[in-house]
Amino acid sequence: NETTSSLSNSIRHHQHTSAVGTIALFGIGSVDLQKMNAWLASILWPDQDELDKVLRARLEENLRNSNDNETPSLEKGNINTKPCEPKSKKQQIYRAKGILSVVHPLTPDGTKVKETSNDWVDDGLASGVVEPDNGLDRRRYIVQAVNDLWEVLPASGNLCWEGNETRCCKIVVIGKWLDVKKLHEGFDECFV
């Protein structure tokens, strides 16, 4: 069968890139939720502050460059397997997932939690899961990101940090051309 032969031929010659990788970020302590969201925005939306015309010009240039690169050819049984990669290897994050320990910001004098500082502090204060004098939130927070969408939400009530448990934060990032140093530095800056 010609279709089956063509399919198995393309599968046999398929190559994966070594540019896709995974990094696990880990730190002892708690993070500021606003800093964490700002960091996630910076790695998932790296061009958010650029003008549309600048982004459009870059996109058109990338399209021209990709047309200049050699692509697989199946003419007369000749299969060219030279990888077709863009000239600029910009970090692309596909997925991120993790668990966080959160501390909410305190008032300038450091004596109590700053109310309305984020979406979760007020209900946490009212329900008693946020310590009013130091801002520690007993809830574990879940980080989930796919491409440029993400959320950081408290986990269910039965997944709280125990009083004697070491607080830590862990995030696994999957993507292409990951900048390990930059990811570690940005993650570390979220800690209080």
Side-chain angles (χ1 to χ4, degrees), residues 138-140 157-167:
R138 289 200 307 260
R139 300 170 287 189
R140 294 177 196 256
N158 62 345
L159 291 175
C160 289
W161 295 98
E162 298 296 327
N164 60 350
E165 189 175 5
T166 301
R167 298 235 179 181

Side-chain angles (χ1 to χ4, degrees), residues 119-185:
D119 291 342
W120 304 109
V121 72
D122 292 332
D123 73 329
L125 285 167
S127 65
V129 294
V130 174
E131 299 294 329
D133 57 337
N134 63 14
L136 276 176
D137 197 319
R138 289 200 307 260
R139 300 170 287 189
R140 294 177 196 256
Y141 280 69
I142 308 296
V143 176
Q144 297 194 70
V146 177
N147 295 320
D148 64 347
L149 303 175
W150 83 92
E151 63 183 5
V152 181
L153 300 172
S156 64
N158 62 345
L159 291 175
C160 289
W161 295 98
E162 298 296 327
N164 60 350
E165 189 175 5
T166 301
R167 298 235 179 181
C168 63
C169 299
K170 308 171 196 176
I171 296 181
V172 175
V173 179
I174 301 168
K176 192 180 236 184
W177 300 305
L178 296 177
D179 185 336
V180 175
K181 183 179 181 221
K182 186 176 177 182
L183 288 170
H184 273 290
E185 287 172 353

Side-chain angles (χ1 to χ4, degrees), residues 36-70:
M36 178 57 62
N37 278 309
W39 174 68
L40 288 167
S42 75
I43 64 172
L44 297 173
W45 300 345
D47 300 320
Q48 71 178 344
D49 294 329
E50 291 200 45
L51 297 174
D52 284 341
K53 65 182 180 181
V54 172
L55 293 174
R56 177 75 181 177
R58 187 179 303 144
L59 175 64
E60 288 172 359
E61 180 182 350
N62 286 343
L63 287 171
R64 277 193 306 277
N65 290 340
S66 69
N67 290 335
D68 294 343
N69 288 334
E70 200 168 338

Side-chain angles (χ1 to χ4, degrees), residues 45-111:
W45 300 345
D47 300 320
Q48 71 178 344
D49 294 329
E50 291 200 45
L51 297 174
D52 284 341
K53 65 182 180 181
V54 172
L55 293 174
R56 177 75 181 177
R58 187 179 303 144
L59 175 64
E60 288 172 359
E61 180 182 350
N62 286 343
L63 287 171
R64 277 193 306 277
N65 290 340
S66 69
N67 290 335
D68 294 343
N69 288 334
E70 200 168 338
T71 56
S73 168
L74 298 176
E75 289 178 11
K76 300 178 187 172
N78 176 27
I79 298 176
N80 182 344
T81 59
K82 182 179 175 184
C84 177
E85 294 183 357
K87 291 180 183 177
S88 70
K89 295 184 177 182
K90 191 173 186 180
Q91 175 173 273
Q92 297 173 346
I93 295 180
Y94 300 142
R95 184 90 167 92
K97 190 165 185 126
I99 304 267
L100 303 175
S101 169
V102 169
V103 62
H104 300 287
L106 300 176
T107 55
D109 64 3
T111 59

